[in-house]
């Protein structure tokens, strides 16, 4: 447990971008963390159980917002934050009640409501994007007439591309909305589709990037600009590439747009994760997220040694915060994470042992996989349906593109249940590195019960 003399930081915990163990590690010697959580939620509660005896936790199950705020106030916090999209509004309410730094209630509303965010960006003159709210399949035709085809259908309040798809007709939109809502009342938006320009990043890369920023007293400071491998249909993210494969002039244009969006939404303190589409007409905002992005802290720390979780804690406490070293951020080499996302359509995956072969590829440092016991991980789950992550690095973007081609080829064999022949000879499909394949260290492959 942290020393009682340290300032108290409340963390409203739920599914998000930092585990309790990671948060406690960053808080060591800095603050005393108290987690507010709902014990009835199994996954976040299991994470807290892993640090039982080392973490203070308060169960807020069944409490209304006002009750949570009063409880939080009784703990006399010096700061409050969350790493979960689903807890931004509650955290904003607690911060307002306790008089500490976080998003205002209005900002949290705009950050978690895709329709309201589009309105705010349009009203501020940052970007006007067609966006119409809808709840019932009968509203599909009118909504589509306003935004045009094709259009993107997505939940109004969500994250991770869950239940997100492209629709090309009123009938398709009506059918998808009926499928997603299942007859229940659930808010969606239909958005103008932003066409991408593949030439902006070059072949082999997605046509969008993400900007990670530290916001202190209303001023955003760029921490990283991440590129992306191609999406898995319909809109499922497959990882991050640092630095992004974009020229400096385009990077500067992206950052200018991102900073304008952050300011327009009234973000004063915290970390933001902003996705930007690279279109023929220039960069366009996909969405601004008012918290640390998933997997972002890990790739930034591997690349630069900079701890974004610790930075989030320091900002919440009002302490000075530095930024990642640009020399390390944009120096030689490329760092990557590749999410193992199931393809669209029926699956006939082979045994998990087929994934072991990913670790033999030069440039792969770690393969962290947790295949489900029963394959019910369809595309509607978005990025949350990923079964693992491949971590590594390459000399440059060209070498990394060749490496990811090999990763995808071997994953395709896994999804089709095709055995990979093993011989004593080196693989012939590895990129040239100047080092014989047999002399390269093999990456570790971590399975759910591994102690690596």
């Amino acid at each position: 447990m942290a020393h009682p003399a340290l300032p108290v930081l409340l963390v409203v915990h739920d599914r998000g971008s930092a585990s309790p163990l990671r948060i406690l590690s960053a808080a060591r010697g800095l603050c005393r963390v108290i987690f507010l959580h709902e014990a009835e939620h199994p996954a976040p509660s299991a994470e807290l159980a892993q640090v039982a005896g080392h973490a203070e936790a308060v169960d807020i199950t069944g409490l209304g917002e006002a009750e949570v705020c009063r409880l939080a106030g009784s703990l006399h916090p010096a700061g409050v934050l969350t790493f979960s999209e689903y807890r931004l509004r509650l955290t904003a309410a607690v911060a307002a009640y306790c008089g500490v730094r976080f998003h205002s209630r209005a900002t949290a509303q705009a950050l978690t409501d895709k329709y309201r965010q589009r309105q705010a960006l349009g009203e501020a003159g940052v970007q006007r994007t067609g966006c119409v709210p809808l709840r019932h399949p009968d509203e599909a035709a009118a909504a589509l007439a306003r935004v045009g085809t094709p259009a993107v259908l997505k939940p109004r309040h969500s994250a991770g591309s869950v239940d997100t798809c492209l629709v090309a007709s009123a009938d398709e939109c009506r059918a998808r909305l009926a499928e997603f809502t299942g007859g229940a009342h659930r808010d969606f938006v239909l958005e103008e589709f932003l066409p991408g320009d593949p030439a902006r990043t070059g072949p082999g890369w997605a046509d969008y990037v993400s900007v990670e920023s530290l916001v202190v007293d209303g001023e955003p400071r760029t921490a990283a600009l991440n590129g992306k491998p191609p999406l898995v249909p319909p809109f499922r993210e497959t990882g991050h590439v640092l630095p992004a494969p974009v020229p400096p002039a385009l990077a500067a244009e992206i950052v200018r747009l991102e900073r304008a969006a952050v300011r327009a939404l009234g973000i004063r303190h915290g970390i933001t994760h902003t996705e930007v589409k690279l279109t023929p007409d220039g960069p366009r905002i996909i969405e601004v997220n008012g918290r640390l992005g998933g997997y972002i802290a890990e790739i930034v720390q591997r690349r630069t040694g900079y701890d974004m979780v610790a930075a989030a804690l320091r900002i919440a406490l009002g302490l000075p915060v530095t930024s990642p070293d640009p020399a390390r951020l944009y120096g030689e080499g490329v760092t990557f994470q590749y999410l193992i996302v199931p393809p669209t359509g029926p699956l006939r995956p082979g045994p998990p042992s087929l994934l072991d072969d990913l670790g033999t590829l030069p440039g792969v440092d770690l393969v962290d996989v947790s295949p489900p016991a029963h394959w019910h991980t369809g595309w509607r789950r978005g990025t949350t349906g990923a079964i693992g992550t491949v971590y590594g690095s390459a000399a440059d973007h060209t070498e990394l593109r060749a490496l990811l081609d090999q990763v995808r080829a071997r994953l395709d064999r896994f999804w089709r249940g095709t055995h990979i022949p093993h011989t004593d000879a080196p693989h012939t499909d590895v990129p040239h590195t100047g080092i014989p394949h047999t002399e390269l260290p093999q990456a570790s492959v971590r399975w759910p019960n591994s102690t690596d």
Side-chain angles (χ1 to χ4, degrees), residues 375-387:
W375 288 93
H376 299 295
T377 179
W379 66 266
R380 286 185 55 188
R381 293 186 59 197
T383 307
T384 63
I387 69 163

Side-chain angles (χ1 to χ4, degrees), residues 136-161:
H136 194 277
D138 289 345
E139 300 170 339
L144 203 61
R146 291 178 60 185
V147 301
T149 56
V152 180
L153 179 67
K154 61 175 70 171
R156 185 167 173 171
H157 313 284
S158 187
S161 299

Side-chain angles (χ1 to χ4, degrees), residues 181-245:
T181 59
H185 291 296
R186 187 177 168 204
D187 291 328
F188 276 75
V189 293
L190 197 64
E191 285 192 350
E192 171 190 346
F193 175 66
L194 302 175
D197 182 1
R200 297 296 182 116
T201 54
W205 306 113
D207 55 10
Y208 76 108
V209 297
S210 68
V211 185
E212 326 307 332
S213 285
L214 316 171
V215 186
V216 180
D217 294 327
E219 286 303 311
R221 308 175 190 174
T222 305
L225 179 61
N226 275 292
K228 314 290 176 179
L231 294 168
V232 170
F235 291 105
R236 289 177 291 164
E237 190 166 73
T238 58
H240 306 287
V241 175
L242 190 59

Side-chain angles (χ1 to χ4, degrees), residues 247-274:
L250 178 56
E253 190 179 355
I254 292 166
V255 168
R256 282 195 296 272
L257 175 65
E258 177 264 349
R259 290 184 176 181
V262 165
R263 293 186 179 112
L265 295 173
I267 298 173
R268 298 286 303 165
H269 309 283
I271 290 184
T272 57
H273 169 68
T274 303

Side-chain angles (χ1 to χ4, degrees), residues 63-96:
L63 300 185
E65 182 183 282
E67 294 171 299
V68 173
C69 288
R70 287 193 293 272
L71 185 156
S74 71
L75 298 172
H76 308 292
V80 60
L81 84 162
T82 186
F83 293 93
S84 173
E85 178 75 14
Y86 311 100
R87 295 300 184 176
L88 286 173
R89 292 191 189 189
L90 178 59
T91 306
V94 169

